[in-house]
Amino acid sequence: MTTRRVVGWITVAGVVAAGGWIVTRPTPGDYIPGLGPSSKEASKTPPIVGDPPPRTVADPEALDVDVYFPAQRVVESGGYKGKRSGVRRGENCTEVLQDRTLELLREAGCKGYLGVSFTAQEKPVLSSITLLRFADAPAAARAAESLRAKPGSVAFILPDASTAPALPAAAARPATEARVELVGHYVTVTSSRPADAHPGFGTATASGTGSPSPSGSPVSPLPVPSMSAANLDQLLDEATRAISFTAGAPFVWM
């Protein structure tokens, strides 16, 4: 028995001796199931750029990504399975736009955003979800209409938390168009792209300016098997629907 496991069992014995017991769900990398992840697993936490938006009475969790999209939770819907990758967040919603000179969100009074990248497991698909918070439902509805009228205006978030350059018009497929949903006083914008559309992510940046990301570490895309355009479109649409539904569900009751 290794030293780590011995220490773990001593800890367990101490808890039992104290008259209490806490049961948690095991996670990959635990020394002992339910007693927390190993240092190796903890080091794999996806990158987060920016500070969380300020808390409000209406939104006490302040768009906390670990509350809405825990890093270890697998999003599963139909044939799609994916996990959270990089995260961008902040109070200035203009930061989510591909063209930051636009006034699309400022005029609607956006109060904060959360941008999350998802990577499909076993499939060559990347997805990006951006949640936007507004003061009330009418303001959110106006913003949703503005975003639907200008497809591609919201930047795509990559697994390393950088923002991707806009895809050339000729490369866009119908299934990659953003899905804009109104959920109470929130708006979600979801889209998916083939993983090989951003090989290495070397042209993306954390600031959205086109220079290399601060980490300097390329993210290897998933291998893309031979498939027809129709099959790829189906994968992209399936991923977008799954992530859009998952992102909107917590806000339905707010």
Side-chain angles (χ1 to χ4, degrees):
M1 182 177 292
T2 65
T3 302
R4 287 180 175 176
R5 291 188 178 276
V6 170
V7 172
W9 284 115
I10 291 174
T11 302
V12 172
V15 172
V16 174
W21 184 263
I22 299 174
V23 178
T24 61
R25 184 178 180 179
T27 57
D30 283 5
Y31 292 136
I32 300 173
L35 293 184
S38 65
S39 57
K40 181 178 180 181
E41 187 70 19
S43 67
K44 296 180 181 179
T45 301
I48 297 179
V49 176
D51 298 319
R55 295 176 181 271
T56 68
V57 174
D59 181 18
E61 299 295 349
L63 293 182
D64 187 335
V65 68
D66 291 317
V67 170
Y68 298 116
F69 307 112
Q72 300 305 318
R73 178 187 298 169
V74 175
V75 173
E76 186 171 359
S77 177
Y80 176 84
K81 285 185 179 181
K83 292 183 71 173
R84 180 188 119 193
S85 301
V87 177
R88 299 183 69 84
R89 59 189 182 182
E91 187 174 6
N92 181 7
C93 297
T94 302
E95 294 172 356
V96 310
L97 297 176
Q98 196 75 53
D99 180 357
R100 297 185 181 181
T101 65
L102 296 176
E103 301 290 334
L104 289 176
L105 301 175
R106 188 176 301 167
E107 292 178 353
C110 186
K111 303 297 183 181
Y113 75 90
L114 183 64
V116 186
S117 174
F118 281 85
T119 302
Q121 298 181 329
E122 304 175 358
K123 294 182 180 180
V125 175
L126 302 177
S127 298
S128 173
I129 173 71
T130 299
L131 293 89
L132 304 167
R133 179 177 65 193
F134 297 87
D136 51 42
R142 291 193 298 271
E145 288 303 312
S146 297
L147 292 171
R148 291 188 183 112
K150 197 168 182 63
S153 55
V154 175
F156 193 92
I157 308 299
L158 292 170
D160 62 358
S162 64
T163 57
L167 288 177
R173 299 176 182 272
T176 65
E177 291 182 359
R179 185 183 182 95
V180 181
E181 299 288 354
L182 175 65
V183 191
H185 59 285
Y186 297 84
V187 172
T188 64
V189 183
T190 317
S191 60
S192 299
R193 295 180 180 181
D196 67 336
H198 307 283
F201 311 129
T203 58
T205 82
S207 61
T209 58
S211 56
S213 63
S215 66
S217 302
V219 180
S220 299
L222 296 173
V224 180
S226 176
M227 65 176 70
S228 67
N231 287 340
L232 179 57
D233 284 347
Q234 182 178 354
L235 288 181
L236 296 173
D237 183 64
E238 186 176 61
T240 298
R241 289 176 180 275
I243 299 301
S244 178
F245 175 80
T246 300
F251 302 93
V252 171
W253 309 107
M254 293 185 177

